[in-house]
Amino acid sequence: MAGSVQILGTGQLVTLSRRLRAAGGPRLRQNLARRTRRAAEPLHRDLQQAIRTVQLPGSGRSGRGGPSPTTRPLRATLARGIRISVRQGAQPGARVWMDRARLPPDLRNMPWVIENGRVRHPVFGHRRRWATQWARPSGWWSRTVQAGTPRMRAEIERVLRDVRRDLE
């Protein structure tokens, strides 16, 4: 799984960034950054929704369950780790990524584990007994990125056309 989605350093963005710097218009730069962030927000929301809707069904043994050993909700915790960053300068662009630093230490690899579809863990923390759960659908990150990237690219191109028109 790719750790992030980036639309960076395309020739148009680099050229436009140089022209903005030469024009010295902070209003134009702020406008470009704001609209670039807005272009990435639908993909950000889609990724958060995708992780919140991934199913991790149990093994189906009735009567053997119990309360969760943690109070934090897994999917909501992972959804909060998805971030957007917008850069200007030599490598302008937008990036949607999973910020591992925002996740608890024991869940740092969980987005990639769920992406692969197989979650193996100790049963209620007992290291002698392990369970396997299958994420449905697997590929929550890659499928969502594949579906959302064309829309994000099209919006960035529209923003670039508008800003280029303002510069001329």
Side-chain angles (χ1 to χ4, degrees):
M1 171 179 113
S4 65
V5 183
Q6 299 181 43
I7 297 182
L8 299 173
T10 65
Q12 292 177 343
L13 280 173
V14 172
T15 303
L16 186 60
S17 177
R18 287 182 185 141
R19 289 178 68 188
L20 282 170
R21 212 173 314 131
R27 181 188 61 78
L28 283 175
R29 282 196 305 269
Q30 289 172 352
N31 186 31
L32 177 63
R34 179 177 44 81
R35 291 185 65 193
T36 302
R37 174 174 286 282
R38 280 195 188 154
E41 284 173 354
L43 180 59
H44 180 250
R45 280 192 304 270
D46 291 348
L47 284 166
Q48 287 181 327
Q49 184 61 31
I51 191 60
R52 285 186 179 117
T53 58
V54 168
Q55 296 177 15
L56 288 169
S59 61
R61 294 174 150 185
S62 61
R64 307 271 322 249
S68 173
T70 65
T71 57
R72 69 173 181 249
L74 173 67
R75 291 170 199 85
T77 302
L78 296 178
R80 282 192 298 271
I82 301 170
R83 299 192 53 200
I84 300 175
S85 62
V86 175
R87 291 192 302 219
Q88 295 179 350
Q91 291 263 321
R95 179 178 175 207
V96 180
W97 54 292
M98 176 62 75
D99 186 0
R100 291 176 51 157
R102 280 190 160 188
L103 300 176
D106 59 331
L107 295 180
R108 298 254 161 98
N109 289 326
M110 189 57 71
W112 293 271
V113 170
I114 293 175
E115 167 76 9
N116 293 330
R118 181 174 177 240
V119 181
R120 194 163 147 70
H121 60 88
V123 177
F124 293 108
H126 299 293
R127 294 264 178 213
R128 290 187 179 171
R129 197 154 171 191
W130 288 73
T132 301
Q133 292 178 275
W134 298 94
R136 286 188 236 151
S138 63
W140 68 274
W141 181 274
S142 55
R143 288 180 187 190
T144 307
V145 166
Q146 188 176 11
T149 300
R151 179 179 59 195
M152 187 173 164
R153 280 191 197 279
E155 182 63 22
I156 292 288
E157 288 173 8
R158 190 170 71 86
V159 168
L160 290 174
R161 278 195 307 271
D162 291 349
V163 173
R164 191 178 306 119
R165 188 183 65 235
D166 288 347
L167 284 173
E168 294 171 353

